[in-house]
């Protein structure tokens, strides 16, 4: 039988009815023609044909799939029952929607950043070529995934026997504005064969080719992404050939990348791709193409047929000595050169692309997926409890059906069909919720300086996960009540009153066990939530060594003006004086490295008169009044001032950690250190000040040794100026005032602004995420557990009305009845808390690496979680207990 006939049974039945009626009419007419009266003719025709309804039923059954038809009947019956119990249906669907939605949302993010392959041609063949080991690279590391310098890349490209082709790329932000406030585009520098190797075709025009990536960059070609084309140009069909200005330089748009192609970095979408040969002109460092001191490129290769990752690594190891010997930077010391020549390359699979998002959030997402799974378990336990109660109420119905011939399997299948209907609707609602939650989480983690673009479209993994979750929840909360409802002896059921089988105290075991499980799992989640909340509190309470309220950082770039080097210091000073003159600005200073700016400049120093050990320290160039602006206490000595100018003796200020770690507790003031100024070149500086320790990169890091150099003594000042200022003005007012000052010097000067509190908050995004989501899951679990406890206690009181009535009739006072109910609930909660404490101690160890300032077994978190759950449990029990205490013995006994 075909499915078409099955689904068109009703139409077939109508057609057969018409055919049978037509046949009857023909037969009747023939009888009438033979002289039979009309009424008798009709009867004679019917007798000859047989029972019409029976014929139609047989045809209908021939077109029916019995199993499917039965399931469909069960589902319709289940839908009617759910409509009759709107409160139960609402609670069940809400629980499932939240549980399944949370699980699907977290899995969707994991799928996007961890499991999914790049949307390119044969991603399984892609490998990254990178340095083996974790030795620090000698030089400047300027991009997120920097593994090679450009000379190394060119040398490697010339000897790629293990790969059918290789590409190089580097992420960078490029300014679109020609003056005023900076407007960044997310750019990638790519080798000429970047798109060809990935098998990507252009949506418009053409993509970059090898001819575009030649020294000199004569083609000035640029490719924009599909999203950038839509956002910036409104999808203009004449986009090819139009110019685009990046860093005040004009390039030609030669094509548009296809929609959905985001490059090779998961979590970020590029706006414009330009060839590597343009990096010298656009990246702000003309020597970046030839300098082996600047690490900024990442490389990928496509394995040749028959080559494995291990074989490619072995080949890279053989060419590494020659490659690194030929690319030694002349800016390295002998010790660094020796270490550099020992570097080796390796190949690692990179079909999933590059992702700092993956590195930062993979472990938290797995932990959140575990917590959301616990939420789903609690929801399932809650639903199972509610279904057990319903099964008790429907016990007589089940008994009657069993007594009239229905098999146990048939009834179990019907009850599971009701559960499946609930799970299906809950899954559908959860899938809708998951998309909203996923998009909200991506938006939560995205910042103005670091926008994220995570593809969260449904794929087979997400659909499979959601379907598996739906089936698992159906089994978890539906199977036990179904088996339980059909397992009781018929005689006892038929003798039982209409309140059902569970009137016996001994038959509450399942409900009690489920409540204990809910309390235990809830304690795990509440404990974890409190741990992350306390960790976040500890982080926000860290003494950073400065006050960041009312602080604004502004970057002023005058690179497009081609200011001679000998006039840059003067222009920097004039711009800084202009900022200081803004009404409302209490203090302002120049700085090269601001706290929480995302990076630090580390170098090595030596102590004069001490053994020539090179000591690591962070270097920061600041002007006078920097410590006043940051409100960093000056412990000893003096601040920089007008005496510290170009040509005067070099002076520095160090922090307390530097003095404590390197100077052995002696007074720092007056001591002399040596700082590196070039290969084998060192300059001597006198320490004139000692300041308080400050945090620079991350709130979790311990204080590091810092050397502050006088910005006015900079020998090679750059063509930009970073200013930190403190004022009571709004960010918009500061932006307007500083922009006017810059424009007075030259309208082509570009600027950007950042509020310090925002910068600090962005460093805590992961901690906010964990505290927020784990807190939400913990509250949700507590709510579900309290509903479950209330439901069980209310049902137990209702089922034991006769017993309570007898106790009252025999002289028990109402307080003792209340205590009896409360004692029952307290026992369940106590057992659940004891079991949960063990589980929480084990589960919280998974969060150890993400906590700050406390241990996974922090007693305060565990005790606070237990007290909170016990309080909520008591609150959920008090109403059923009072109801039992108010029971009238006569009415209870009369009902029985």
């Amino acid at each position: 039988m075909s499915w078409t006939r099955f689904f068109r049974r009703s139409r077939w039945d109508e057609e057969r009815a018409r055919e049978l009626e037509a046949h009857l009419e023909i037969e009747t007419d023939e009888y009438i023609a033979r002289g039979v009266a009309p009424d008798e003719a009709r009867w004679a025709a019917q007798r000859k044909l047989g029972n019409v309804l029976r014929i139609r039923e047989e045809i209908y059954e021939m077109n029916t799939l019995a199993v499917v038809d039965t399931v469909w009947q069960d589902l319709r019956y289940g839908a009617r029952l759910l409509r009759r119990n709107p409160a139960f249906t609402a609670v069940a669907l809400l629980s499932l929607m939240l549980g399944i939605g949370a699980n699907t949302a977290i899995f969707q993010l994991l799928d996007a950043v961890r499991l999914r392959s790049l949307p390119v041609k044969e991603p399984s063949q892609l490998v990254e070529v990178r340095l083996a080991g974790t030795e620090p690279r000698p030089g400047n590391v300027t991009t997120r995934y920097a593994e090679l310098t450009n000379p190394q890349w060119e040398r490697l490209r010339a000897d790629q026997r293990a790969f059918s082709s290789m590409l190089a790329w580097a992420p960078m932000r490029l300014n679109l504005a020609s003056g005023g406030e900076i407007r960044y585009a997310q750019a990638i520098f790519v080798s000429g064969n970047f798109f060809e190797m990935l098998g990507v075709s252009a949506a418009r025009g053409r993509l970059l080719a090898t001819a575009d990536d030649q020294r000199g960059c004569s083609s000035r070609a640029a490719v924009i992404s599909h999203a950038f084309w839509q956002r910036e140009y409104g999808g203009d069909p004449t986009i090819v050939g139009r110019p685009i200005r990046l860093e005040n330089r004009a390039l030609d748009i030669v094509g548009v990348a296809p929609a959905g192609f985001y490059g090779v970095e998961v979590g970020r979408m590029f706006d414009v791709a330009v060839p590597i040969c343009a990096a010298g002109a656009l990246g702000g460092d003309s020597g970046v193409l030839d300098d082996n001191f600047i690490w900024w490129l990442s490389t990928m290769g496509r394995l040749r047929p028959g080559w494995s990752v291990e074989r490619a690594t072995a080949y890279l190891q053989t060419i590494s000595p020659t490659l690194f010997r030929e690319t030694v930077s002349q800016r390295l010391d002998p010790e660094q050169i020796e270490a550099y020549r020992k570097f080796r390359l390796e190949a690692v699979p990179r079909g999933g692309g590059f992702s700092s998002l993956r590195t930062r959030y993979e472990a938290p997402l797995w932990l959140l997926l575990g917590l959301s799974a616990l939420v789903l378990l609690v929801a399932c336990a809650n639903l199972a409890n509610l279904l057990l109660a319903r099964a008790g109420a429907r016990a007589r119905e089940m008994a009657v059906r069993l007594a009239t011939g229905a098999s146990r399997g048939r009834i179990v299948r019907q009850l599971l069909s009701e559960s499946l209907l609930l799970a299906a609707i809950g899954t559908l609602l959860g899938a809708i919720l998951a998309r909203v939650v996923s998009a909200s989480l991506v938006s939560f983690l995205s910042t103005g300086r670091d926008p994220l673009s995570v593809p969260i479209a449904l794929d087979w993994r997400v659909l499979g996960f959601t379907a598996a979750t739906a089936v698992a929840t159906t089994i978890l909360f539906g199977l036990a009540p179904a088996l339980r409802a059909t397992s009781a002896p018929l005689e006892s059921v038929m003798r039982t009153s209409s309140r059902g089988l569970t009137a016996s105290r001994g038959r509450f075991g399942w409900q009690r066990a489920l409540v204990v499980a809910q309390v235990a799992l809830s304690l795990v989640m509440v404990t974890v939530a409190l741990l992350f909340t306390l960790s976040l509190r500890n982080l926000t309470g860290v003494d950073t060594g400065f006050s960041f309220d009312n602080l604004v950082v502004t970057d002023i770039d005058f690179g497009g003006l081609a200011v001679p080097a000998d006039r840059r210091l003067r222009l920097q000073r004039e711009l800084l004086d202009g900022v200081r003159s803004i009404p409302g600005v209490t203090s302002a200073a120049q700085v090269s490295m601001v706290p929480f700016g995302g990076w630090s400049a580390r170098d090595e120093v030596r102590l004069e008169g001490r053994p020539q050990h090179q000591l690591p320290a962070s270097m920061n160039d600041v002007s006078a009044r920097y410590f006043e602006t940051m409100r960093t206490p000056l412990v000893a000595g003096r601040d920089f001032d007008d005496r510290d100018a170009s040509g005067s003796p070099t002076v520095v200020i160090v922090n307390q950690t530097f003095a404590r770690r390197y100077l052995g507790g002696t007074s720092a003031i007056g001591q002399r250190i040596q700082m590196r100024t070039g290969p084998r070149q060192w300059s001597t500086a006198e320490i004139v000040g000692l300041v308080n320790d400050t945090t620079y990169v991350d709130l979790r890091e311990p204080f590091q040794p810092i050397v502050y150099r006088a910005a006015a003594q900079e020998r090679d000042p750059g063509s930009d100026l970073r200013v930190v200022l403190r004022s009571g003005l709004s960010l918009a007012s500061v932006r307007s005032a500083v922009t006017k000052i810059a424009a007075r010097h030259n309208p082509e000067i570009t600027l950007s602004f950042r509020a310090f509190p925002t910068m600090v908050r962005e460093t805590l995004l992961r901690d906010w995420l964990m505290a927020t989501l784990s807190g939400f899951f913990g509250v949700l679990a507590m709510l579900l557990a309290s509903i479950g406890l209330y439901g069980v206690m209310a049902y137990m009181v209702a089922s034991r009305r006769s017993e309570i009535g007898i106790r009252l009739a025999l002289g028990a006072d109402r307080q003792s009845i209340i205590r009896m109910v409360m004692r029952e609930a307290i026992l369940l909660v106590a057992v659940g808390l004891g079991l949960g404490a063990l589980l929480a101690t084990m589960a919280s160890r998974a969060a150890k690496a993400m906590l700050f300032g406390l241990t996974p077994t922090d007693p305060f978190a565990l005790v606070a979680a237990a007290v909170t759950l016990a309080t909520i449990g008591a609150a959920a029990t008090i109403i059923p207990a009072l109801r039992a205490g108010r029971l009238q013995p006569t009415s209870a006994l009369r009902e029985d």
Side-chain angles (χ1 to χ4, degrees):
M1 191 205 70
S2 68
W3 286 98
T4 304
R5 292 174 63 181
F6 173 74
F7 287 111
R8 299 179 63 185
R9 288 174 299 169
S10 298
R11 186 173 174 181
W12 271 68
D13 183 54
E14 293 172 0
E15 291 178 356
R16 298 295 83 77
R18 287 195 295 271
E19 288 178 1
L20 291 171
E21 182 60 29
H23 180 79
L24 280 176
E25 289 177 357
I26 292 172
E27 287 287 335
T28 302
D29 291 343
E30 288 180 354
Y31 278 113
I32 293 174
R34 294 174 193 163
V36 180
D39 292 343
E40 292 182 1
R42 179 74 180 182
W43 280 110
Q46 289 179 342
R47 284 195 300 271
K48 184 178 180 181
L49 179 62
N51 191 328
V52 174
L53 288 177
R54 180 61 185 162
I55 294 172
R56 289 174 58 188
E57 285 178 357
E58 289 177 353
I59 296 173
Y60 192 87
E61 289 174 357
M62 289 171 60
N63 295 328
T64 297
L65 294 172
V67 175
V68 176
D69 198 48
T70 305
V71 171
W72 177 241
Q73 290 176 8
D74 290 343
L75 290 176
R76 286 192 299 176
Y77 181 67
R80 287 198 297 272
L81 290 181
L82 293 179
R83 281 202 303 271
R84 291 174 186 171
N85 298 277
F88 166 79
T89 305
V91 171
L93 291 181
L94 183 64
S95 302
L96 288 171
M97 180 185 72
L98 292 174
I100 295 176
N103 276 272
T104 304
I106 301 298
F107 182 80
Q108 206 165 13
L109 288 179
L110 268 172
D111 175 54
V113 303
R114 182 68 184 87
L115 305 178
R116 202 176 295 177
S117 299
L118 288 174
V120 299
K121 174 186 174 185
E122 298 179 355
S124 60
Q125 296 178 354
L126 298 177
V127 297
E128 178 192 5
V129 178
R130 68 181 189 185
L131 291 181
T134 57
E135 290 79 8
R137 296 150 184 75
N140 296 333
V141 179
T142 59
T143 59
R144 284 194 291 276
Y145 310 102
E147 288 290 338
L148 296 177
T149 66
N150 189 58
Q152 291 169 351
W153 153 243
E154 292 179 343
R155 178 66 180 78
L156 179 64
R157 183 177 55 186
D159 193 0
Q160 50 174 298
R161 196 175 307 167
F163 310 101
S164 57
S165 60
M166 294 191 74
L167 64 82
W169 75 285
M172 201 168 290
R173 295 188 308 167
L174 298 178
N175 183 22
L176 292 165
S178 300
E181 189 161 351
I182 289 174
R183 196 163 63 90
Y184 283 115
Q186 303 298 322
I188 52 174
F189 289 99
V190 299
S191 56
N193 66 334
F194 180 83
F195 295 101
E196 179 187 359
M197 180 180 139
L198 297 177
V200 177
S201 302
R204 292 268 176 176
R206 68 172 179 87
L207 301 176
L208 295 177
T210 304
D212 297 311
D213 186 25
Q214 304 295 327
R215 289 296 181 108
C217 272
S218 57
S219 72
R220 300 190 312 166
V223 170
I224 61 175
S225 69
H226 192 277
F228 188 76
W229 176 43
Q230 297 293 322
R231 187 176 70 244
E232 293 290 327
Y233 299 96
D236 182 0
T238 63
I239 187 65
V240 176
R242 290 182 57 176
I244 179 173
R245 291 192 68 83
L246 298 171
E247 300 292 338
N248 274 327
R249 290 171 174 79
L251 283 81
D252 299 323
I253 298 175
V254 298
V256 179
F261 177 70
Y262 51 81
V264 294
E265 185 180 16
V266 177
R268 288 182 172 83
M269 172 70 77
F270 78 91
D271 293 326
V272 57
V274 293
I276 286 177
C277 62
L282 299 177
D285 190 337
S286 58
V288 72
L289 296 180
D290 300 311
D291 198 337
N292 267 314
F293 203 72
I294 304 175
W295 302 71
W296 64 293
L297 289 175
S298 305
T299 59
M300 295 180 81
R302 186 177 292 282
L303 291 171
R304 285 187 184 278
W307 282 68
S308 64
V309 175
E310 294 75 17
R311 186 181 174 189
T313 297
Y315 173 74
L316 291 170
Q317 299 273 325
T318 61
I319 67 171
S320 293
T322 304
L323 187 150
F324 289 108
R325 186 175 62 250
E326 295 177 355
T327 56
V328 173
S329 171
Q330 298 305 311
R331 300 165 68 180
L332 301 181
D333 289 334
E335 299 83 5
Q336 293 175 314
I337 292 175
E338 183 179 352
Y340 177 83
R341 286 176 173 169
K342 294 180 181 177
F343 284 168
R344 295 293 180 269
L345 295 173
E346 66 175 359
V348 295
R350 198 56 76 195
F354 298 81
S355 180
S356 59
L357 196 66
R358 181 186 305 152
T359 305
R360 184 170 175 76
Y361 288 105
E362 182 179 354
L365 285 176
W366 281 116
L367 183 60
L368 287 174
L369 185 63
L371 291 176
S372 60
L374 291 183
V375 171
L376 189 57
L377 282 177
V378 173
C380 288
N382 207 28
L383 283 177
N385 241 335
L386 294 174
L387 288 175
L388 280 171
R390 289 184 74 221
R394 297 171 60 188
R396 291 179 64 84
E397 172 197 339
M398 303 299 163
V400 170
R401 295 184 62 181
L402 288 169
T404 53
S407 67
R408 186 185 179 196
R410 176 69 183 85
I411 294 178
V412 169
R413 193 170 63 201
Q414 179 199 325
L415 294 176
L416 277 179
S417 298
E418 296 175 22
S419 302
L420 179 62
L421 183 63
L422 272 176
I425 300 174
T427 301
L428 179 62
L429 296 175
I432 297 172
L433 177 68
R435 289 195 60 81
V436 177
V437 173
S438 298
S440 301
L441 288 176
V442 173
S443 176
F444 180 85
L445 299 176
S446 186
T447 65
R449 287 177 57 83
D450 192 13
L452 301 181
S453 176
V454 179
I456 52 175
L458 291 177
D459 65 2
W460 65 270
R461 290 191 190 85
V462 176
L463 290 175
F465 178 85
T466 306
T469 305
V471 172
T473 51
T474 302
I475 295 173
L476 281 173
F477 75 77
L479 185 58
L483 294 175
R484 168 79 170 73
T486 56
S487 61
L490 291 182
E491 289 185 19
S492 61
V493 175
M494 300 303 291
R495 283 200 303 268
T496 306
S497 72
S498 59
R499 287 190 298 274
L501 292 176
T502 51
S504 170
R505 292 186 59 186
R507 302 186 69 86
F508 282 112
W510 273 99
Q511 285 97 324
R512 288 193 180 97
L514 289 171
V515 168
V516 168
Q518 284 181 274
V519 173
L521 294 177
S522 299
L523 182 66
V524 174
M525 283 182 284
V526 175
T527 302
V528 173
L530 281 174
L531 285 173
F532 282 115
T533 303
L534 293 173
S535 175
L536 180 61
R537 184 205 61 181
N538 292 342
L539 281 168
T540 55
V542 166
D543 179 13
T544 59
F546 63 93
S547 170
F548 52 78
D549 292 333
N550 300 319
L551 274 182
V552 174
V553 179
T554 174
D555 290 312
I556 305 173
D557 188 351
F558 49 87
L561 307 184
V563 178
D566 58 343
R567 294 179 55 191
R568 292 175 187 169
L569 272 178
R570 179 181 175 185
L571 179 56
Q572 288 177 345
R573 187 165 55 250
E574 290 175 354
L575 289 169
L576 179 59
D577 289 341
V579 173
R580 285 171 172 168
S581 67
I582 297 173
V585 173
T586 57
S587 182
Q590 179 183 354
V591 60
S592 64
M593 180 183 70
V594 292
F596 307 108
W599 66 282
S600 65
R602 295 181 66 81
D603 206 336
E604 293 172 331
V605 300
R606 299 190 304 201
L607 302 179
E608 191 175 70
R610 306 278 183 91
Q612 297 302 296
H613 296 304
Q614 296 179 10
L615 309 171
S618 295
M619 313 301 288
N620 199 1
D621 299 321
V622 303
S623 71
R625 300 180 63 186
Y626 170 74
F627 303 109
E628 172 193 340
T629 304
M630 300 297 289
R631 292 182 180 169
T632 300
L634 186 66
V635 179
R638 66 172 177 85
D639 193 358
F640 297 128
D641 55 29
D642 293 339
R643 291 172 288 179
D644 309 315
S646 177
S648 63
T650 305
V651 295
V652 296
I653 295 173
V654 298
N655 69 342
Q656 290 175 306
T657 297
F658 185 96
R660 184 170 53 252
R661 187 175 299 178
Y662 297 148
L663 302 179
T666 61
S667 173
I669 307 303
Q671 298 210 41
R672 301 171 71 83
I673 65 172
Q674 293 181 328
M675 299 180 293
R676 189 197 306 271
T677 57
R680 306 177 185 83
Q681 296 179 2
W682 298 80
S683 68
T684 301
E686 179 184 354
I687 300 175
V688 297
L690 178 68
V691 294
N692 200 22
D693 285 324
T694 51
T695 301
Y696 260 80
V697 176
D698 193 300
L699 286 169
R700 295 172 180 268
E701 69 171 7
F703 292 129
Q704 300 294 324
I706 301 176
V707 175
Y708 297 95
R709 298 176 296 205
Q713 295 181 324
E714 174 65 47
R715 297 180 179 179
D716 184 21
S719 55
D720 57 356
L721 173 68
R722 175 167 293 162
V723 176
V724 57
L725 63 93
R726 184 179 295 279
S727 77
L729 304 174
S730 65
L731 181 60
S733 300
V734 171
R735 180 184 286 120
S736 174
V738 176
T739 302
K740 289 178 181 176
I741 289 171
R744 282 203 295 267
H745 284 79
N746 194 306
E748 293 187 4
I749 293 178
T750 56
L751 310 96
S752 66
F753 300 88
R754 286 173 289 168
F756 234 100
T758 303
M759 294 169 60
V760 176
R761 184 186 178 281
E762 289 175 356
T763 67
L764 297 175
L765 278 180
R766 193 183 74 169
D767 301 280
W768 277 106
L769 175 73
M770 296 305 296
T772 303
L773 287 188
S774 63
F776 172 73
F777 291 154
V779 170
L780 185 59
M782 280 196 302
L783 180 63
L784 291 173
S786 63
I787 292 175
L789 182 61
Y790 169 80
V792 168
M793 297 312 298
Y795 187 68
M796 288 173 66
V797 169
S799 301
R800 296 171 61 186
R801 288 171 62 88
S802 300
E803 175 194 340
I804 295 172
I806 294 172
R807 286 174 180 267
L808 290 170
L810 293 178
D813 60 49
R814 300 188 183 280
Q815 296 301 320
S816 65
I817 297 298
I818 293 175
R819 285 196 299 272
M820 180 188 73
V821 177
M822 293 296 293
R823 187 165 54 246
E824 179 83 21
I826 291 172
L827 179 62
L828 294 178
V829 173
V831 174
L833 292 179
L835 181 61
L838 294 176
L839 295 175
T841 303
M842 293 186 286
S844 58
R845 296 184 188 280
K848 180 179 180 181
M850 302 174 216
L851 300 177
F852 178 79
L854 71 166
T855 64
T857 56
D858 184 76
F860 175 78
L862 186 60
V863 172
V867 170
T868 304
L869 271 173
T871 304
I872 291 176
T877 310
I878 193 67
I879 294 177
L882 292 176
R883 190 178 298 158
R886 289 196 297 266
L887 192 66
Q888 296 299 324
T890 52
S891 62
L893 293 174
R894 189 168 53 247
E895 288 176 8
D896 193 55

